[in-house]
Amino acid sequence: MINLPYEIIVESEKETENVAKSFSEKISPGDIILLTGNLGSGKTFFVRSFCSTLGINNVSSPSFAIVNEYEGNEKVYHFDFYRIKNLNELYDIGIDDYTNDVEAIIFIEWADLWREVIPRHYYEVQFNFIDSIKRKITIKKV
Ligand SMILES: Nc1ncnc2c1ncn2[C@@H]1O[C@H](COP(=O)(O)OP(=O)(O)OP(=O)(O)O)[C@@H](O)[C@H]1O
Ligand SMILES: [Mg+2]
């Protein structure tokens, strides 16, 4: 079980998977999870591992679509803000309707790029490279 704030150095993909699965026990619909960290640090990998606990096995990077929607034991919205150039792109897809949906678990990769649309309460999972497979993962609740 994970107690927040939480920090760990993972030494393999399997360990990241275990962190995502333990973290999922804390999360319920209405929760928003921001994922921050450099390109290729493991944000999508983490969402994929988390979602497997909900019976969702079609997680992919939403970079081009801005948001992917999945349905398993719970409903999931999976955002990626990396390619957003203008805040209106988010308002155009109805970002507030998504973030206000208390029936969905919401993941937002690169959320730090557009903090304006992030509600006041969220979890943040931060990834830092140590080397090609080691990562520092920090999780806090705000
Ligand atoms: N310990 C680890 N935890 C997570 N991923 C790892 C680990 N070691 C290696 N990897 C690899 O690192 C890559 C992480 O890619 P991923 O798409 O999850 O990154 P990302 O943070 O979502 O990048 P982007 O910013 O482009 O969306 C994957 O290829 C994964 O297999
Ligand atoms: Mg990604």
Side-chain angles (χ1 to χ4, degrees):
M1 193 56 181
I2 282 181
N3 288 311
L4 303 179
Y6 179 79
E7 184 177 302
I8 187 175
I9 308 268
V10 291
E11 308 212 340
S12 65
E13 293 181 345
K14 184 70 197 166
E15 283 185 39
T16 300
E17 209 177 305
N18 291 341
V19 173
K21 288 180 177 173
S22 304
F23 175 65
S24 75
E25 293 168 16
K26 296 194 109 55
I27 298 303
S28 49
D31 287 337
I32 297 181
I33 302 135
L34 314 187
L35 302 121
T36 58
N38 281 339
L39 286 169
S41 58
K43 301 179 293 295
T44 302
F45 184 95
F46 186 93
V47 176
R48 187 174 294 123
S49 303
F50 184 115
C51 285
S52 71
T53 69
L54 302 172
I56 296 167
N57 297 301
N58 60 332
V59 172
S60 62
S61 179
S63 316
F64 292 98
I66 302 178
V67 59
N68 289 344
E69 304 189 22
Y70 314 118
E71 186 83 54
N73 299 341
E74 307 290 357
K75 184 165 60 165
V76 174
Y77 300 139
H78 179 194
F79 285 84
D80 190 330
F81 285 180
Y82 188 69
R83 287 192 169 71
I84 305 286
K85 292 191 182 63
N86 186 307
L87 205 47
N88 283 331
E89 292 175 50
L90 291 173
Y91 290 129
D92 285 348
I93 62 160
I95 183 73
D96 293 336
D97 294 335
Y98 283 102
T99 57
N100 287 325
D101 186 345
V102 295
E103 288 175 7
I105 296 169
I106 303 171
F107 292 97
I108 308 180
E109 296 189 37
W110 289 99
D112 43 328
L113 296 180
W114 296 102
R115 286 276 177 186
E116 296 93 325
V117 300
I118 306 300
R120 233 152 49 84
H121 296 291
Y122 53 82
Y123 294 83
E124 181 162 351
V125 184
Q126 193 184 323
F127 296 84
N128 289 93
F129 278 100
I130 307 289
D131 65 23
S132 61
I133 57 162
K134 284 190 198 169
R135 307 283 191 271
K136 184 171 85 173
I137 301 177
T138 312
I139 307 180
K140 66 178 179 182
K141 187 179 184 184
V142 177

